[in-house]
Amino acid sequence: MGTPGYYIGLMSGTSMDGIDAALVNIAQERMELLHSISHPWPAPLKNRLQAQASGDTCTLQEYGELDHLCAQEFARAAEALLHATGIPSSMIRAIGSHGQTLYHQPKPPAPFTLQIGDPNVIAERTGITVVADLRRRDMAAGGQGAPLVPAFHQAVFSSPEKNRVILNIGGIANITILPAGGNPVRGFDTGPGNCLMDRWCQKQQGLPYDKDGRWAHQGEANAKLLHTLLQDEYFHASPPKSTGTEYFSLDWLESKLERHPNIPGRNVQASLLALTASTIAFAIQNWAKDTEEVLVCGGGAHNQTLVSALSDRLSPALVATTDSIEGGIQPDWVEAIAFAWLAKQTLDGMPGNLPSATGARHPVILGGIYSAGPVY
């Protein structure tokens, strides 16, 4: 597995429910999670980020301030992780920082993706080399820039006997299709994961998310609304494909609700949960029909109502979490560990993308290296 050592992965997804920080020891063919924490976003900064991520305009001053402030929080997350373990920064080979996505637009003629959290600030503050800006090289090679985790999923979760799908449910849901016996791996974003449910719950209940899907469980999906939601062209497009919360936003939802007024809030929530479950199941049944195991990670793994809905739709395939198999990983930390692994790939001069997932013309070494360097 290249050069062994300690690596830190930093990940904040489109749900913005915190910065996940994972300290990983990667040695030969073994990967060990040593410690992990979730560093909360300060509420004022989170509010500013959410305001920008759901809109189409951002002043240069606001962009610059957010880039710096996010970097400070990513650095604090890494520092808190090291403080909890007692491991000095000098023992860390690199930090793999995903950054915070503000906008993801992979369509021609000018595809781009924007993650902020200045890696120069992180490297300077922590004294650790940082690998960041991990999506744009894949886009330069004709890819979607997402999903990037399938290469890691292949390295960690593939089985010679089982046809598996790794399902990550963050703000956006994505799948990695891992056929048994090393056949070609595919992956793509299926559509909204938690993002619409979170935003609707915030608007209606004043809560950041629907814990365990309890509010959705109290409601009943509205068949007409669900039918309207499912007509969106994204769900019927062929992979490779990727999307973001700038597309599946509260504005997107409210434009659909205009056609279906006076639906009780809990029934809208139940419909959104059904949308997430239905589009994930549709993607798996259409592109991985021989799937035997669906291993779930991300925040959505804790939504029991959603997991139950997926189990119903995907039966007889087993639906379980990524820590349910031998050598598995606790579902909250899969993506953070993946970005530690991607940092290692970059430092070792190895590609980190999977063209069969992103649509890139060829494998590429991802990101830029921001060396901690000596202090003069």
Side-chain angles (χ1 to χ4, degrees), residues 281-312:
F282 175 82
I284 293 172
Q285 289 161 348
N286 277 271
W287 299 99
K289 60 184 178 63
D290 296 325
T291 297
E292 299 165 85
E293 295 179 346
V294 178
L295 303 180
V296 188
C297 58
H302 301 293
N303 186 327
Q304 293 305 309
T305 306
L306 177 58
V307 172
S308 178
L310 285 167
S311 295
D312 290 343

PDB file of all heavy atoms in Angstrom, residues 281-312:
ATOM      1  N   ALA A 281     -32.930   2.834  -4.350  1.00  0.00           N
ATOM      2  CA  ALA A 281     -33.322   1.485  -4.765  1.00  0.00           C
ATOM      3  C   ALA A 281     -33.394   1.372  -6.280  1.00  0.00           C
ATOM      4  O   ALA A 281     -32.950   0.375  -6.869  1.00  0.00           O
ATOM      5  CB  ALA A 281     -34.670   1.128  -4.142  1.00  0.00           C
ATOM      6  N   PHE A 282     -33.930   2.398  -6.935  1.00  0.00           N
ATOM      7  CA  PHE A 282     -34.013   2.411  -8.395  1.00  0.00           C
ATOM      8  C   PHE A 282     -32.620   2.296  -9.013  1.00  0.00           C
ATOM      9  O   PHE A 282     -32.402   1.521  -9.963  1.00  0.00           O
ATOM     10  CB  PHE A 282     -34.700   3.696  -8.858  1.00  0.00           C
ATOM     11  CG  PHE A 282     -34.744   3.875 -10.341  1.00  0.00           C
ATOM     12  CD1 PHE A 282     -35.722   3.245 -11.105  1.00  0.00           C
ATOM     13  CD2 PHE A 282     -33.820   4.692 -10.992  1.00  0.00           C
ATOM     14  CE1 PHE A 282     -35.776   3.415 -12.485  1.00  0.00           C
ATOM     15  CE2 PHE A 282     -33.862   4.870 -12.362  1.00  0.00           C
ATOM     16  CZ  PHE A 282     -34.836   4.228 -13.120  1.00  0.00           C
ATOM     17  N   ALA A 283     -31.666   3.062  -8.463  1.00  0.00           N
ATOM     18  CA  ALA A 283     -30.298   3.041  -8.999  1.00  0.00           C
ATOM     19  C   ALA A 283     -29.660   1.666  -8.836  1.00  0.00           C
ATOM     20  O   ALA A 283     -29.030   1.141  -9.756  1.00  0.00           O
ATOM     21  CB  ALA A 283     -29.454   4.106  -8.296  1.00  0.00           C
ATOM     22  N   ILE A 284     -29.838   1.060  -7.667  1.00  0.00           N
ATOM     23  CA  ILE A 284     -29.232  -0.254  -7.427  1.00  0.00           C
ATOM     24  C   ILE A 284     -29.899  -1.320  -8.289  1.00  0.00           C
ATOM     25  O   ILE A 284     -29.216  -2.161  -8.906  1.00  0.00           O
ATOM     26  CB  ILE A 284     -29.314  -0.605  -5.931  1.00  0.00           C
ATOM     27  CG1 ILE A 284     -28.419   0.341  -5.117  1.00  0.00           C
ATOM     28  CG2 ILE A 284     -28.912  -2.063  -5.687  1.00  0.00           C
ATOM     29  CD1 ILE A 284     -28.567   0.203  -3.616  1.00  0.00           C
ATOM     30  N   GLN A 285     -31.207  -1.301  -8.373  1.00  0.00           N
ATOM     31  CA  GLN A 285     -31.918  -2.329  -9.137  1.00  0.00           C
ATOM     32  C   GLN A 285     -31.675  -2.214 -10.638  1.00  0.00           C
ATOM     33  O   GLN A 285     -31.742  -3.210 -11.356  1.00  0.00           O
ATOM     34  CB  GLN A 285     -33.414  -2.253  -8.813  1.00  0.00           C
ATOM     35  CG  GLN A 285     -33.729  -2.738  -7.402  1.00  0.00           C
ATOM     36  CD  GLN A 285     -35.077  -2.277  -6.888  1.00  0.00           C
ATOM     37  OE1 GLN A 285     -35.729  -1.412  -7.475  1.00  0.00           O
ATOM     38  NE2 GLN A 285     -35.508  -2.844  -5.760  1.00  0.00           N
ATOM     39  N   ASN A 286     -31.367  -1.006 -11.104  1.00  0.00           N
ATOM     40  CA  ASN A 286     -31.130  -0.819 -12.526  1.00  0.00           C
ATOM     41  C   ASN A 286     -29.677  -1.018 -12.925  1.00  0.00           C
ATOM     42  O   ASN A 286     -29.411  -1.463 -14.048  1.00  0.00           O
ATOM     43  CB  ASN A 286     -31.593   0.571 -12.970  1.00  0.00           C
ATOM     44  CG  ASN A 286     -33.071   0.617 -13.264  1.00  0.00           C
ATOM     45  OD1 ASN A 286     -33.498   0.374 -14.373  1.00  0.00           O
ATOM     46  ND2 ASN A 286     -33.867   0.894 -12.241  1.00  0.00           N
ATOM     47  N   TRP A 287     -28.751  -0.695 -12.040  1.00  0.00           N
ATOM     48  CA  TRP A 287     -27.337  -0.733 -12.409  1.00  0.00           C
ATOM     49  C   TRP A 287     -26.551  -1.793 -11.644  1.00  0.00           C
ATOM     50  O   TRP A 287     -25.375  -2.012 -11.944  1.00  0.00           O
ATOM     51  CB  TRP A 287     -26.711   0.647 -12.205  1.00  0.00           C
ATOM     52  CG  TRP A 287     -27.369   1.682 -13.053  1.00  0.00           C
ATOM     53  CD1 TRP A 287     -28.325   2.582 -12.676  1.00  0.00           C
ATOM     54  CD2 TRP A 287     -27.176   1.892 -14.460  1.00  0.00           C
ATOM     55  NE1 TRP A 287     -28.724   3.347 -13.739  1.00  0.00           N
ATOM     56  CE2 TRP A 287     -28.037   2.955 -14.849  1.00  0.00           C
ATOM     57  CE3 TRP A 287     -26.347   1.294 -15.416  1.00  0.00           C
ATOM     58  CZ2 TRP A 287     -28.101   3.421 -16.159  1.00  0.00           C
ATOM     59  CZ3 TRP A 287     -26.411   1.766 -16.724  1.00  0.00           C
ATOM     60  CH2 TRP A 287     -27.275   2.812 -17.087  1.00  0.00           C
ATOM     61  N   ALA A 288     -27.172  -2.436 -10.660  1.00  0.00           N
ATOM     62  CA  ALA A 288     -26.479  -3.482  -9.888  1.00  0.00           C
ATOM     63  C   ALA A 288     -27.506  -4.512  -9.443  1.00  0.00           C
ATOM     64  O   ALA A 288     -27.659  -4.812  -8.265  1.00  0.00           O
ATOM     65  CB  ALA A 288     -25.758  -2.870  -8.692  1.00  0.00           C
ATOM     66  N   LYS A 289     -28.214  -5.086 -10.417  1.00  0.00           N
ATOM     67  CA  LYS A 289     -29.375  -5.927 -10.102  1.00  0.00           C
ATOM     68  C   LYS A 289     -29.001  -7.222  -9.376  1.00  0.00           C
ATOM     69  O   LYS A 289     -29.864  -7.847  -8.762  1.00  0.00           O
ATOM     70  CB  LYS A 289     -30.158  -6.254 -11.381  1.00  0.00           C
ATOM     71  CG  LYS A 289     -29.389  -7.000 -12.442  1.00  0.00           C
ATOM     72  CD  LYS A 289     -30.251  -7.188 -13.694  1.00  0.00           C
ATOM     73  CE  LYS A 289     -29.497  -7.896 -14.808  1.00  0.00           C
ATOM     74  NZ  LYS A 289     -29.090  -9.246 -14.463  1.00  0.00           N
ATOM     75  N   ASP A 290     -27.747  -7.632  -9.429  1.00  0.00           N
ATOM     76  CA  ASP A 290     -27.337  -8.867  -8.755  1.00  0.00           C
ATOM     77  C   ASP A 290     -26.791  -8.623  -7.346  1.00  0.00           C
ATOM     78  O   ASP A 290     -26.164  -9.510  -6.751  1.00  0.00           O
ATOM     79  CB  ASP A 290     -26.275  -9.594  -9.594  1.00  0.00           C
ATOM     80  CG  ASP A 290     -26.828 -10.061 -10.936  1.00  0.00           C
ATOM     81  OD1 ASP A 290     -28.015 -10.441 -10.975  1.00  0.00           O
ATOM     82  OD2 ASP A 290     -26.087 -10.033 -11.934  1.00  0.00           O
ATOM     83  N   THR A 291     -27.018  -7.436  -6.816  1.00  0.00           N
ATOM     84  CA  THR A 291     -26.486  -7.079  -5.496  1.00  0.00           C
ATOM     85  C   THR A 291     -27.020  -8.015  -4.408  1.00  0.00           C
ATOM     86  O   THR A 291     -28.215  -8.269  -4.315  1.00  0.00           O
ATOM     87  CB  THR A 291     -26.853  -5.625  -5.149  1.00  0.00           C
ATOM     88  OG1 THR A 291     -26.224  -4.758  -6.097  1.00  0.00           O
ATOM     89  CG2 THR A 291     -26.394  -5.258  -3.745  1.00  0.00           C
ATOM     90  N   GLU A 292     -26.088  -8.499  -3.578  1.00  0.00           N
ATOM     91  CA  GLU A 292     -26.449  -9.355  -2.444  1.00  0.00           C
ATOM     92  C   GLU A 292     -26.370  -8.623  -1.113  1.00  0.00           C
ATOM     93  O   GLU A 292     -27.097  -8.950  -0.173  1.00  0.00           O
ATOM     94  CB  GLU A 292     -25.514 -10.568  -2.407  1.00  0.00           C
ATOM     95  CG  GLU A 292     -25.588 -11.436  -3.659  1.00  0.00           C
ATOM     96  CD  GLU A 292     -24.421 -12.393  -3.738  1.00  0.00           C
ATOM     97  OE1 GLU A 292     -24.517 -13.478  -3.136  1.00  0.00           O
ATOM     98  OE2 GLU A 292     -23.407 -12.042  -4.392  1.00  0.00           O
ATOM     99  N   GLU A 293     -25.458  -7.631  -1.018  1.00  0.00           N
ATOM    100  CA  GLU A 293     -25.282  -6.881   0.225  1.00  0.00           C
ATOM    101  C   GLU A 293     -25.191  -5.392  -0.086  1.00  0.00           C
ATOM    102  O   GLU A 293     -24.437  -4.987  -0.978  1.00  0.00           O
ATOM    103  CB  GLU A 293     -24.005  -7.317   0.960  1.00  0.00           C
ATOM    104  CG  GLU A 293     -24.031  -8.748   1.462  1.00  0.00           C
ATOM    105  CD  GLU A 293     -22.734  -9.131   2.169  1.00  0.00           C
ATOM    106  OE1 GLU A 293     -21.726  -8.403   2.038  1.00  0.00           O
ATOM    107  OE2 GLU A 293     -22.739 -10.172   2.847  1.00  0.00           O
ATOM    108  N   VAL A 294     -25.938  -4.609   0.658  1.00  0.00           N
ATOM    109  CA  VAL A 294     -25.843  -3.158   0.592  1.00  0.00           C
ATOM    110  C   VAL A 294     -25.330  -2.676   1.945  1.00  0.00           C
ATOM    111  O   VAL A 294     -26.003  -2.849   2.970  1.00  0.00           O
ATOM    112  CB  VAL A 294     -27.204  -2.509   0.274  1.00  0.00           C
ATOM    113  CG1 VAL A 294     -27.084  -0.980   0.262  1.00  0.00           C
ATOM    114  CG2 VAL A 294     -27.745  -3.018  -1.057  1.00  0.00           C
ATOM    115  N   LEU A 295     -24.132  -2.130   1.963  1.00  0.00           N
ATOM    116  CA  LEU A 295     -23.502  -1.684   3.201  1.00  0.00           C
ATOM    117  C   LEU A 295     -23.593  -0.163   3.262  1.00  0.00           C
ATOM    118  O   LEU A 295     -23.080   0.540   2.391  1.00  0.00           O
ATOM    119  CB  LEU A 295     -22.046  -2.142   3.256  1.00  0.00           C
ATOM    120  CG  LEU A 295     -21.840  -3.660   3.131  1.00  0.00           C
ATOM    121  CD1 LEU A 295     -20.350  -4.006   3.196  1.00  0.00           C
ATOM    122  CD2 LEU A 295     -22.609  -4.404   4.225  1.00  0.00           C
ATOM    123  N   VAL A 296     -24.245   0.328   4.311  1.00  0.00           N
ATOM    124  CA  VAL A 296     -24.603   1.739   4.406  1.00  0.00           C
ATOM    125  C   VAL A 296     -23.633   2.474   5.326  1.00  0.00           C
ATOM    126  O   VAL A 296     -23.277   1.986   6.404  1.00  0.00           O
ATOM    127  CB  VAL A 296     -26.038   1.905   4.937  1.00  0.00           C
ATOM    128  CG1 VAL A 296     -26.477   3.368   4.858  1.00  0.00           C
ATOM    129  CG2 VAL A 296     -27.010   1.012   4.169  1.00  0.00           C
ATOM    130  N   CYS A 297     -23.226   3.681   4.895  1.00  0.00           N
ATOM    131  CA  CYS A 297     -22.417   4.558   5.740  1.00  0.00           C
ATOM    132  C   CYS A 297     -22.944   5.979   5.599  1.00  0.00           C
ATOM    133  O   CYS A 297     -23.867   6.250   4.825  1.00  0.00           O
ATOM    134  CB  CYS A 297     -20.936   4.471   5.371  1.00  0.00           C
ATOM    135  SG  CYS A 297     -20.557   4.895   3.651  1.00  0.00           S
ATOM    136  N   GLY A 298     -22.344   6.911   6.349  1.00  0.00           N
ATOM    137  CA  GLY A 298     -22.824   8.284   6.356  1.00  0.00           C
ATOM    138  C   GLY A 298     -23.903   8.489   7.396  1.00  0.00           C
ATOM    139  O   GLY A 298     -24.392   7.544   8.028  1.00  0.00           O
ATOM    140  N   GLY A 299     -24.307   9.748   7.559  1.00  0.00           N
ATOM    141  CA  GLY A 299     -25.298  10.081   8.586  1.00  0.00           C
ATOM    142  C   GLY A 299     -26.615   9.361   8.410  1.00  0.00           C
ATOM    143  O   GLY A 299     -27.300   9.051   9.390  1.00  0.00           O
ATOM    144  N   GLY A 300     -26.991   9.084   7.162  1.00  0.00           N
ATOM    145  CA  GLY A 300     -28.255   8.410   6.907  1.00  0.00           C
ATOM    146  C   GLY A 300     -28.327   7.001   7.442  1.00  0.00           C
ATOM    147  O   GLY A 300     -29.421   6.433   7.577  1.00  0.00           O
ATOM    148  N   ALA A 301     -27.170   6.417   7.767  1.00  0.00           N
ATOM    149  CA  ALA A 301     -27.159   5.070   8.342  1.00  0.00           C
ATOM    150  C   ALA A 301     -27.864   5.027   9.694  1.00  0.00           C
ATOM    151  O   ALA A 301     -28.267   3.954  10.155  1.00  0.00           O
ATOM    152  CB  ALA A 301     -25.723   4.573   8.486  1.00  0.00           C
ATOM    153  N   HIS A 302     -28.021   6.196  10.348  1.00  0.00           N
ATOM    154  CA  HIS A 302     -28.656   6.258  11.661  1.00  0.00           C
ATOM    155  C   HIS A 302     -30.163   6.521  11.570  1.00  0.00           C
ATOM    156  O   HIS A 302     -30.840   6.513  12.599  1.00  0.00           O
ATOM    157  CB  HIS A 302     -28.005   7.351  12.505  1.00  0.00           C
ATOM    158  CG  HIS A 302     -26.535   7.140  12.717  1.00  0.00           C
ATOM    159  ND1 HIS A 302     -26.031   6.102  13.466  1.00  0.00           N
ATOM    160  CD2 HIS A 302     -25.466   7.819  12.243  1.00  0.00           C
ATOM    161  CE1 HIS A 302     -24.711   6.159  13.462  1.00  0.00           C
ATOM    162  NE2 HIS A 302     -24.342   7.186  12.721  1.00  0.00           N
ATOM    163  N   ASN A 303     -30.650   6.774  10.363  1.00  0.00           N
ATOM    164  CA  ASN A 303     -32.080   7.029  10.176  1.00  0.00           C
ATOM    165  C   ASN A 303     -32.781   5.682   9.998  1.00  0.00           C
ATOM    166  O   ASN A 303     -32.834   5.128   8.904  1.00  0.00           O
ATOM    167  CB  ASN A 303     -32.288   7.930   8.955  1.00  0.00           C
ATOM    168  CG  ASN A 303     -33.739   8.353   8.773  1.00  0.00           C
ATOM    169  OD1 ASN A 303     -34.672   7.612   9.092  1.00  0.00           O
ATOM    170  ND2 ASN A 303     -33.932   9.551   8.230  1.00  0.00           N
ATOM    171  N   GLN A 304     -33.308   5.156  11.094  1.00  0.00           N
ATOM    172  CA  GLN A 304     -33.864   3.806  11.067  1.00  0.00           C
ATOM    173  C   GLN A 304     -35.075   3.696  10.150  1.00  0.00           C
ATOM    174  O   GLN A 304     -35.302   2.656   9.531  1.00  0.00           O
ATOM    175  CB  GLN A 304     -34.229   3.366  12.481  1.00  0.00           C
ATOM    176  CG  GLN A 304     -33.007   3.177  13.390  1.00  0.00           C
ATOM    177  CD  GLN A 304     -31.999   2.213  12.787  1.00  0.00           C
ATOM    178  OE1 GLN A 304     -32.347   1.107  12.376  1.00  0.00           O
ATOM    179  NE2 GLN A 304     -30.741   2.645  12.712  1.00  0.00           N
ATOM    180  N   THR A 305     -35.859   4.762  10.064  1.00  0.00           N
ATOM    181  CA  THR A 305     -37.004   4.736   9.159  1.00  0.00           C
ATOM    182  C   THR A 305     -36.545   4.618   7.719  1.00  0.00           C
ATOM    183  O   THR A 305     -37.116   3.861   6.918  1.00  0.00           O
ATOM    184  CB  THR A 305     -37.865   6.003   9.344  1.00  0.00           C
ATOM    185  OG1 THR A 305     -38.219   6.142  10.726  1.00  0.00           O
ATOM    186  CG2 THR A 305     -39.132   5.935   8.508  1.00  0.00           C
ATOM    187  N   LEU A 306     -35.480   5.331   7.363  1.00  0.00           N
ATOM    188  CA  LEU A 306     -34.929   5.274   6.007  1.00  0.00           C
ATOM    189  C   LEU A 306     -34.308   3.908   5.725  1.00  0.00           C
ATOM    190  O   LEU A 306     -34.535   3.316   4.658  1.00  0.00           O
ATOM    191  CB  LEU A 306     -33.886   6.381   5.823  1.00  0.00           C
ATOM    192  CG  LEU A 306     -33.147   6.415   4.484  1.00  0.00           C
ATOM    193  CD1 LEU A 306     -34.113   6.545   3.310  1.00  0.00           C
ATOM    194  CD2 LEU A 306     -32.127   7.553   4.475  1.00  0.00           C
ATOM    195  N   VAL A 307     -33.531   3.391   6.666  1.00  0.00           N
ATOM    196  CA  VAL A 307     -32.890   2.083   6.468  1.00  0.00           C
ATOM    197  C   VAL A 307     -33.955   0.993   6.314  1.00  0.00           C
ATOM    198  O   VAL A 307     -33.820   0.084   5.482  1.00  0.00           O
ATOM    199  CB  VAL A 307     -31.930   1.766   7.633  1.00  0.00           C
ATOM    200  CG1 VAL A 307     -31.412   0.337   7.541  1.00  0.00           C
ATOM    201  CG2 VAL A 307     -30.761   2.744   7.635  1.00  0.00           C
ATOM    202  N   SER A 308     -35.024   1.085   7.095  1.00  0.00           N
ATOM    203  CA  SER A 308     -36.110   0.114   6.971  1.00  0.00           C
ATOM    204  C   SER A 308     -36.776   0.201   5.598  1.00  0.00           C
ATOM    205  O   SER A 308     -37.089  -0.826   4.976  1.00  0.00           O
ATOM    206  CB  SER A 308     -37.143   0.360   8.074  1.00  0.00           C
ATOM    207  OG  SER A 308     -38.239  -0.531   7.957  1.00  0.00           O
ATOM    208  N   ALA A 309     -36.974   1.427   5.119  1.00  0.00           N
ATOM    209  CA  ALA A 309     -37.566   1.608   3.790  1.00  0.00           C
ATOM    210  C   ALA A 309     -36.667   1.038   2.704  1.00  0.00           C
ATOM    211  O   ALA A 309     -37.143   0.435   1.734  1.00  0.00           O
ATOM    212  CB  ALA A 309     -37.830   3.091   3.538  1.00  0.00           C
ATOM    213  N   LEU A 310     -35.379   1.198   2.864  1.00  0.00           N
ATOM    214  CA  LEU A 310     -34.435   0.627   1.901  1.00  0.00           C
ATOM    215  C   LEU A 310     -34.464  -0.895   1.943  1.00  0.00           C
ATOM    216  O   LEU A 310     -34.423  -1.557   0.896  1.00  0.00           O
ATOM    217  CB  LEU A 310     -33.020   1.135   2.203  1.00  0.00           C
ATOM    218  CG  LEU A 310     -32.732   2.582   1.802  1.00  0.00           C
ATOM    219  CD1 LEU A 310     -31.430   3.057   2.438  1.00  0.00           C
ATOM    220  CD2 LEU A 310     -32.662   2.725   0.287  1.00  0.00           C
ATOM    221  N   SER A 311     -34.521  -1.457   3.146  1.00  0.00           N
ATOM    222  CA  SER A 311     -34.574  -2.917   3.274  1.00  0.00           C
ATOM    223  C   SER A 311     -35.803  -3.475   2.572  1.00  0.00           C
ATOM    224  O   SER A 311     -35.723  -4.512   1.885  1.00  0.00           O
ATOM    225  CB  SER A 311     -34.589  -3.316   4.751  1.00  0.00           C
ATOM    226  OG  SER A 311     -33.380  -2.956   5.392  1.00  0.00           O
ATOM    227  N   ASP A 312     -36.923  -2.798   2.717  1.00  0.00           N
ATOM    228  CA  ASP A 312     -38.155  -3.254   2.066  1.00  0.00           C
ATOM    229  C   ASP A 312     -38.022  -3.223   0.549  1.00  0.00           C
ATOM    230  O   ASP A 312     -38.430  -4.166  -0.143  1.00  0.00           O
ATOM    231  CB  ASP A 312     -39.337  -2.374   2.488  1.00  0.00           C
ATOM    232  CG  ASP A 312     -39.740  -2.581   3.940  1.00  0.00           C
ATOM    233  OD1 ASP A 312     -39.344  -3.608   4.530  1.00  0.00           O
ATOM    234  OD2 ASP A 312     -40.445  -1.707   4.485  1.00  0.00           O
TER     235      ASP A 312
END
